[in-house]
Amino acid sequence: MKLPALSILIAFCSGILLAAAHPLPLWACAALCGLFFVNASLLWVNRAYRLALAASLAGWTMLGSLGLAIEHRDRPANLASLLIESGRLDTSQPLRWRGILRENPEQLPWGVRFDLELESVQISGENTSVSGGLRVTSYGEAPPVLMALEAGSRAEVLVQARLPRNFMDPGATDYRGDLSRQGIELIATLRSYELLTTHPKPPPTLTHRMARLRGNLLNRISSLLSSSPAQAAVLRAMLLGDRAFVENDVADAFRKTSSYHVLVIAGLHVAALAAFVVWAAKRLRLSRVAGSIVTLSALAAYLAIVQDRPPILRATMMAAIYILARTAFRRLDTLQVAALAAFLLVFFRPSELADSSIQLSFLAVGSIGGIAIPILEKTAEPLRRALQHIGDVTRDPAFRPRLVQLRLDLRTISNALASRLPGWLKTRSAAVITIPMRGCVLIWETLVVSFVIQLGLLPLLVADFHRVSIIGPLVNIPAVFLTGLIVPLGFVALAASYVSAALGHLVAAIAGRCVAALLTVVNWFAGIEWGSFRVASPPITLIAAFLFLLAFLAMAVRMRRRWVPSISATLVAALAIALAAHPFHPTLSQGRLELTILDVGQGDSLFLAAPDGRTLLVDGGGGSGPLRVGGTQARYDIGEEVVSRYLWSRGIEKLDAVALTHAHQDHLEGLYSVLANFRVAELWVGHDVASSAYQRLLLVASANGTRIRHFERGDSFDWGGMHGHVLWPDSDAELKQPSNNDSLVL
């Protein structure tokens, strides 16, 4: 088996998925796991190697099912969510919760947020032991007593905690699951700081010390770039994973250009940091072993500071395996390293497989190791090696004739150039010739890797995020290069600030310039209208077929027969076009009138499908309080995360009409995203309202080519096999304020 770690990973993950879909008792998983491994051993002894391999993989599959069953069974009996679901804990009234802060209170544009590792809850005057995480949010300016708290502080809050709410519509984001993977079981709002009580701090653990350091570093980034808050927000995200201050328009630009991974610390950032430390170790003339120790120490410190984030953990493990192999003068296959790191991650936490960020990481690294690297080894790698040491004629026989001729030509040009260069540049004449060519090779490598990653991630980007970015591979070339500069410069600025404030500000200013360049590039590409578009959910069979062919392509590029990779690439391209174009009809009840009432929490949203297939959305739901504060999204966007996702789950990409009953926020707010995400033919309204929210809706509709149609009592319409009458409003007069009694009634 050439790729044992990859095969084991696939089998193990298959077992996790099998257990998630059809759970088996713990004893059954253990029995089947043992049975398969025993059979594999017996078959191996009897030299039935293929049968032994099959039995072994079946054993790893059942081990994956066993791991998920153990993880679910291992949840503490006093976990807050379990106590509430079983009815043993009543949270209908405020309760006094006590716990220890996991991190320093996080300053937000709209207030402060902190997470408590729960210890107890007071019920009827008695303390009851409870475990899990409680996320507390406080709106408004925080008093000094709260900001004086830090990771490891013990606090008590009197709040009405609740389980995170999931909207029950198909396709809606699993908000509760996302928080659960972060260790957050409950959420609450602190109404007054008088309801917060602090207690003596217990001795801080190493984790708490690292969390305090992270809080200190975040504050330093903000102070170093205090004159450029937008740059500081991006730098906070890129270095330490805090995206709280990244404005929504900036985040959208990164999403449209498929470069959002730059803002989410993961493999790219770990690679940039590791490469910088390795480079610095070489400049300091450290030995290979010493340089590896320094690099591993830097990565371990980074992992501890950014806390428990699976993408960082996976990337750090991969980097550590590579560095250890390099120290031992061993060369490892990228797929093997990635598979081993991924296996270690899901082995200890099988439920992480459900995290979309983990799935994206798996596909990205798998695409790089399985497709991009083999392609580059046949194209760019020989040329890159040929451009090294062109003055050394003894290396020529190792290359193909064309590359030998290239080296001879470059050597001739270099010698001719040396006679015309100043004395201090004569010895560098070869570099003057080869550096531009090396730069072109590097750009080609980046383009291939970027294109392959975009291709590999396409099914998940479509299924989970409903977005296709045509310009993604181009944008990622400058984005990756700039990230490679920003990450080390940012950490150098932070380190320098502890030595000299002036030096820290100087390096931070350079890093800020790089961030500004990154924002300029991303915003320019995001402004291209055809560069990105939204798509509906594809059939699961199409996604499965695409992933299967992608895996086959990874095997084909390693074959010597050229026609096999060509056919595989053609089939993958055809399915990629099908995923992006979505040539499928919506799943509607043809010949029948359909009405679906969406779960949007506060407000209303109704979806109607006429007998002939025409579609109408009435209202888009919304939340309470401002959706954005200072350009930063403060809460769920119901239109994006709930209504749009429901429509995409039905295969819908265009709406024949959207009707707004009245301009209250909980009916209107979700329509902004709907009008932007779908091709909407008409917007039906009653009274015009002199409110900024309503006027903005009309502007969004006009900007997206939607016709605005006013209705009043007495109007009628024939639409999709239905005949409709307008019962209200009684006039088209403009109103100063929206009112329920002035709603559009059909």
Side-chain angles (χ1 to χ4, degrees):
M1 188 186 298
K2 294 184 178 180
L3 297 171
L6 180 61
S7 302
I8 291 172
L9 173 66
I10 293 173
F12 192 83
C13 291
S14 299
I16 296 173
L17 296 175
L18 180 64
H22 303 286
L24 291 175
L26 185 62
W27 64 267
C29 294
L32 289 172
C33 180
L35 179 63
F36 282 124
F37 279 126
V38 169
N39 284 337
S41 302
L42 294 175
L43 290 168
W44 185 268
V45 170
N46 293 321
R47 298 185 178 181
Y49 298 124
R50 292 186 177 180
L51 291 175
L53 175 61
S56 176
L57 292 178
W60 283 108
T61 301
M62 294 314 304
L63 188 61
S65 298
L66 178 62
L68 187 63
I70 292 175
E71 184 181 12
H72 286 169
R73 189 169 181 174
D74 263 356
R75 293 191 298 177
N78 66 342
L79 191 65
S81 57
L82 295 180
L83 294 177
I84 295 173
E85 290 171 347
S86 63
R88 289 179 287 170
L89 182 59
D90 181 12
T91 56
S92 60
Q93 298 295 326
L95 298 175
R96 193 174 297 278
W97 304 83
R98 176 181 288 195
I100 295 177
L101 266 71
R102 293 179 176 174
E103 298 181 353
N104 291 2
E106 184 180 4
Q107 189 75 46
L108 303 171
W110 55 88
V112 180
R113 182 175 67 196
F114 57 92
D115 296 341
L116 283 178
E117 186 66 41
L118 293 174
E119 296 178 318
S120 65
V121 59
Q122 192 176 92
I123 305 174
S124 301
E126 296 184 3
N127 288 329
T128 300
S129 175
V130 67
S131 63
L134 169 63
R135 173 161 291 176
V136 182
T137 303
S138 174
Y139 296 92
E141 187 175 352
V145 63
L146 178 57
M147 299 313 297
L149 295 175
E150 53 187 354
S153 298
R154 178 172 278 117
E156 203 173 81
V157 289
L158 180 62
V159 293
Q160 184 174 356
R162 63 188 186 280
L163 293 170
R165 185 186 190 282
N166 271 354
F167 294 94
M168 305 307 294
D169 309 298
T173 302
D174 183 12
Y175 178 54
R176 184 174 177 182
D178 291 343
L179 287 180
S180 179
R181 283 186 283 274
Q182 300 173 39
I184 302 299
E185 306 295 330
L186 303 175
I187 57 175
T189 300
L190 185 63
R191 303 296 180 183
S192 170
Y193 293 109
E194 296 178 354
L195 304 177
L196 169 70
T197 306
T198 59
H199 294 274
K201 299 178 184 178
T205 64
L206 178 60
T207 301
H208 292 147
R209 292 184 186 277
M210 290 295 102
R212 293 178 186 181
L213 177 58
R214 178 175 182 267
N216 181 271
L217 293 175
L218 287 171
N219 292 334
R220 280 181 177 267
I221 292 174
S222 297
S223 62
L224 288 173
L225 291 172
S226 57
S227 60
S228 304
Q231 297 174 14
V234 172
L235 199 60
R236 286 166 64 105
M238 294 181 68
L239 297 186
L240 298 170
D242 177 41
R243 301 190 297 275
F245 288 87
V246 177
E247 293 191 359
N248 200 62
D249 291 342
V250 173
D252 277 346
F254 279 93
R255 293 189 187 100
K256 289 178 181 178
T257 56
S258 198
S259 57
Y260 192 71
H261 60 92
V262 168
L263 294 180
V264 182
I265 52 174
L268 176 61
H269 305 74
V270 171
L273 178 60
F276 172 72
V277 177
V278 169
W279 174 84
K282 287 182 178 179
R283 293 297 176 270
L284 295 174
R285 301 186 182 278
L286 297 180
S287 66
R288 182 182 291 264
V289 174
S292 298
I293 293 174
V294 170
T295 305
L296 290 174
S297 301
L299 292 178
Y302 185 47
L303 179 62
I305 290 172
V306 299
Q307 300 297 311
D308 186 14
R309 287 174 170 81
I312 288 293
L313 182 59
R314 188 262 314 155
T316 303
M317 286 193 295
M318 280 189 60
I321 294 171
Y322 260 122
I323 292 169
L324 291 173
R326 175 177 170 272
T327 305
F329 298 95
R330 294 290 186 270
R331 184 178 180 182
L332 297 179
D333 187 278
T334 303
L335 275 180
Q336 281 287 81
V337 176
L340 180 58
F343 172 75
L344 292 174
L345 188 61
V346 297
F347 180 80
F348 292 103
R349 291 188 293 191
S351 61
E352 292 290 349
L353 188 61
D355 190 347
S356 61
S357 66
I358 295 295
Q359 297 168 10
L360 291 169
S361 297
F362 285 1
L363 267 181
V365 178
S367 300
I368 293 172
I371 301 175
I373 289 181
I375 291 175
L376 293 176
E377 286 177 346
K378 296 178 181 179
T379 57
E381 182 64 18
L383 180 58
R384 187 178 62 82
R385 288 189 290 107
L387 293 173
Q388 297 174 350
H389 308 287
I390 61 173
D392 188 353
V393 296
T394 62
R395 297 174 182 260
D396 290 355
F399 298 99
R400 290 176 296 179
R402 289 183 179 180
L403 294 179
V404 173
Q405 184 62 50
L406 174 64
R407 288 173 61 85
L408 290 173
D409 293 341
L410 292 177
R411 196 176 298 145
T412 302
I413 297 173
S414 173
N415 293 334
L417 183 63
S419 61
R420 294 176 173 82
L421 291 175
W424 61 278
L425 266 181
K426 288 184 182 296
T427 57
R428 301 286 183 179
S429 61
V432 172
I433 297 298
T434 59
I435 283 177
M437 299 183 69
R438 290 182 188 178
C440 292
V441 172
L442 183 59
I443 292 174
W444 165 251
E445 290 175 336
T446 307
L447 181 61
V448 170
V449 171
S450 178
F451 177 80
V452 169
I453 289 177
Q454 295 297 314
L455 182 67
L457 297 184
L458 182 62
L460 286 187
L461 292 176
V462 170
D464 292 343
F465 304 102
H466 304 283
R467 187 182 293 279
V468 173
S469 177
I470 299 175
I471 56 177
L474 291 176
V475 181
N476 276 285
I477 294 176
V480 168
F481 284 132
L482 288 169
T483 300
L485 294 174
I486 292 169
V487 171
L489 281 173
F491 282 113
V492 169
L494 287 172
S497 68
Y498 284 94
V499 179
S500 167
L503 181 60
H505 278 88
L506 176 62
V507 181
I510 299 174
R513 293 287 185 182
C514 294
V515 172
L518 175 64
L519 292 175
T520 300
V521 170
V522 171
N523 286 327
W524 187 84
F525 277 102
I528 301 176
E529 292 186 5
W530 52 264
S532 172
F533 54 90
R534 311 304 294 267
V535 291
S537 299
I540 189 65
T541 53
L542 181 62
I543 294 177
F546 181 88
L547 293 176
F548 174 79
L549 285 176
L550 196 69
F552 185 76
L553 177 61
M555 293 187 293
V557 294
R558 299 169 184 262
M559 298 179 181
R560 294 183 179 179
R561 297 180 180 179
R562 294 185 177 181
W563 61 271
V564 178
S566 299
I567 293 177
S568 304
T570 302
L571 293 174
V572 169
L575 290 188
I577 293 173
L579 283 169
H582 194 273
F584 309 104
H585 292 292
T587 54
L588 302 175
S589 302
Q590 293 296 327
R592 302 174 63 186
L593 174 63
E594 175 189 343
L595 168 63
T596 303
I597 303 175
L598 303 186
D599 174 17
V600 292
Q602 185 174 341
D604 288 301
S605 184
L606 313 176
F607 173 72
L608 288 93
D612 71 346
R614 294 192 195 183
T615 51
L616 168 67
L617 180 73
V618 181
D619 291 342
S624 58
L627 177 62
R628 294 181 179 88
V629 176
T632 304
Q633 188 166 313
R635 55 174 174 77
Y636 243 37
D637 183 347
I638 299 296
E640 172 71 24
E641 303 295 340
V642 178
V643 180
S644 291
R645 286 180 174 270
Y646 168 75
L647 296 174
W648 282 320
S649 74
R650 301 289 303 272
I652 294 170
E653 292 186 311
K654 65 182 183 68
L655 292 167
D656 293 288
V658 167
L660 173 66
T661 57
H662 61 291
H664 279 156
Q665 180 173 309
D666 55 355
H667 292 254
L668 173 148
E669 183 184 85
L671 295 183
Y672 297 132
S673 295
V674 170
L675 290 171
N677 292 334
F678 298 86
R679 300 190 300 275
V680 180
E682 294 183 341
L683 173 63
W684 296 358
V685 296
H687 286 291
D688 279 334
V689 183
S691 70
S692 59
Y694 176 79
Q695 295 301 322
R696 181 191 164 203
L697 183 71
L698 298 185
L699 290 175
V700 171
S702 299
N704 287 280
T706 300
R707 176 192 172 197
I708 300 171
R709 187 175 177 185
H710 289 79
F711 284 103
E712 61 179 285
R713 186 171 61 185
D715 291 342
S716 62
F717 57 90
D718 288 295
W719 184 79
M722 296 186 299
H723 183 67
H725 295 278
V726 180
L727 305 181
W728 201 260
D730 60 347
S731 72
D732 61 355
E734 182 174 298
L735 304 176
K736 292 184 178 180
Q737 295 293 334
S739 168
N740 288 328
N741 290 340
D742 295 311
S743 295
L744 174 66
V745 182
L746 307 177

